[in-house]
Amino acid sequence: MRGMDQAQARSWLGTALAEARTGLAEGGIPIGAALYGADGTLLGRGHNRRVQDDDPSMHAETAAFRDAGRQRTYRGTTMVTTLSPCWYCSGLVRQFGISRVVVGEAATFHGGHDWLAEHGVEILLLDDPECTEMMRDFIKRNPALWNEDIGD
Amino acid sequence: MRGMDQAQARSWLGTALAEARTGLAEGGIPIGAALYGADGTLLGRGHNRRVQDDDPSMHAETAAFRDAGRQRTYRGTTMVTTLSPCWYCSGLVRQFGISRVVVGEAATFHGGHDWLAEHGVEILLLDDPECTEMMRDFIKRNPALWNEDIGD
């Protein structure tokens, strides 16, 4: 990893994890994300809102991106997410030039983080056991909801 | 083109164009989209809302997708958009398995429609002069806003 240290990444993952836990408590899909600025400021945070708002467009990453409001540039920003980003969210990262993605886990779902790495995005995969356990347990209990969320 | 005829595609593009014109009249970025079901039902429609709602997450395609609400499957659906979809919106199409994309024009912005075609999405590029003219005129008058919208 070039620009950031693991301790900082793990601390930022805590914000995304808190969002995922909030989503779970609301009866939603437990995926959380946060967008940090180049200077380390928290720009936005959010979680998947498919169930809560009946809104299929609000994945965790899009919710955090939206929460950050309009930004002049995304250069130097870091998207932190509890789960490997799907194509929709990977496309978001690539289109807007978000520089880094910290991924909590990719064991339950292998999204587009390799594709992002090929296109110059710095990826840090943390293999966090709490992220994996929360998602594995959720998928086991709610397979239909999970499949709906990833278009399967 | 396999499944759909040009006349139907051009008629559906009219819905997306009407959305783009509404966006322009609101002072926004004139890109519109519509999602049609496998049976030809209009499921959702929308336009870019960056300016109107200060919401960078609402591109035309995401707005139409959101407007359609939760769907059990996107098999057989068609996303119609006045402009070639950016990576964010191309990722949306790929992730949710939207079957077809009708593209008004790709002259002012060449998005991810080739990538979608490589991954099995049926693409119909209409090269519509009204779409091209509206977008070209907008970009000329509002270069900073346009660059913001595509993360440039």
Side-chain angles (χ1 to χ4, degrees):
Chain A
M1 175 161 211
R2 282 163 295 179
M4 73 186 299
D5 63 65
Q6 288 249 352
Q8 182 171 66
R10 289 196 179 272
S11 151
W12 287 359
L13 182 64
T15 308
L17 252 169
E19 286 291 332
R21 282 189 216 105
T22 300
L24 188 65
E26 291 167 352
I29 301 172
I31 308 172
L35 183 66
Y36 281 90
D39 63 355
T41 310
L42 178 61
L43 300 175
R45 55 192 294 170
H47 52 270
N48 187 299
R49 307 199 58 83
R50 173 176 295 271
V51 174
Q52 296 92 319
D53 299 347
D54 266 335
D55 185 350
S57 77
M58 280 299 122
H59 273 195
E61 297 90 332
T62 39
F65 177 79
R66 188 186 201 195
D67 186 51
R70 289 167 64 179
Q71 300 284 330
R72 193 64 210 85
T73 179
Y74 293 88
R75 198 171 301 130
T77 62
T78 302
M79 179 67 82
V80 188
T81 176
T82 55
L83 183 66
S84 176
C86 78
W87 286 117
Y88 174 43
C89 297
S90 295
L92 176 88
V93 168
R94 182 169 175 189
Q95 185 63 46
F96 290 99
I98 291 171
S99 300
R100 290 179 207 91
V101 180
V102 173
V103 179
E105 62 108 349
T108 63
F109 177 73
H110 195 104
H113 63 273
D114 298 328
W115 179 72
L116 288 174
E118 283 164 27
H119 291 284
V121 179
E122 188 180 335
I123 302 291
L124 178 60
L125 176 56
L126 290 177
D127 275 326
D128 182 81
E130 191 175 347
C131 290
T132 310
E133 193 178 346
M134 192 182 335
M135 205 56 210
R136 187 165 286 156
D137 186 57
F138 179 83
I139 292 171
K140 195 173 169 185
R141 291 170 194 261
N142 306 275
L145 192 53
W146 169 239
N147 286 337
E148 182 190 325
D149 199 55
I150 52 168
D152 253 15
Chain B
M1 174 161 213
R2 282 163 295 177
M4 73 186 299
D5 63 65
Q6 288 248 355
Q8 183 171 67
R10 289 195 181 271
S11 152
W12 288 359
L13 182 63
T15 309
L17 253 168
E19 285 291 332
R21 282 189 215 105
T22 301
L24 188 64
E26 291 168 352
I29 301 171
I31 308 172
L35 183 67
Y36 280 90
D39 63 355
T41 310
L42 178 61
L43 299 175
R45 56 192 294 170
H47 52 270
N48 188 299
R49 306 198 60 82
R50 172 177 295 273
V51 173
Q52 296 92 319
D53 298 347
D54 266 336
D55 185 351
S57 77
M58 279 299 120
H59 273 197
E61 297 90 330
T62 41
F65 176 80
R66 188 187 201 196
D67 187 49
R70 289 167 64 178
Q71 300 284 330
R72 192 64 209 85
T73 178
Y74 293 88
R75 197 170 302 129
T77 62
T78 302
M79 179 67 83
V80 188
T81 175
T82 55
L83 183 66
S84 176
C86 78
W87 286 117
Y88 174 42
C89 297
S90 296
L92 176 88
V93 168
R94 181 169 176 191
Q95 185 64 46
F96 291 99
I98 292 171
S99 299
R100 290 180 207 89
V101 180
V102 174
V103 179
E105 63 109 349
T108 63
F109 176 74
H110 195 103
H113 63 272
D114 297 329
W115 179 72
L116 287 174
E118 283 165 27
H119 292 284
V121 179
E122 189 181 336
I123 301 291
L124 178 59
L125 176 56
L126 291 177
D127 275 327
D128 182 81
E130 190 175 346
C131 290
T132 310
E133 194 178 342
M134 192 182 336
M135 205 58 211
R136 187 165 285 155
D137 186 58
F138 180 83
I139 293 171
K140 195 174 169 184
R141 291 169 193 264
N142 305 275
L145 192 52
W146 170 241
N147 286 337
E148 181 190 325
D149 198 55
I150 52 167
D152 251 16

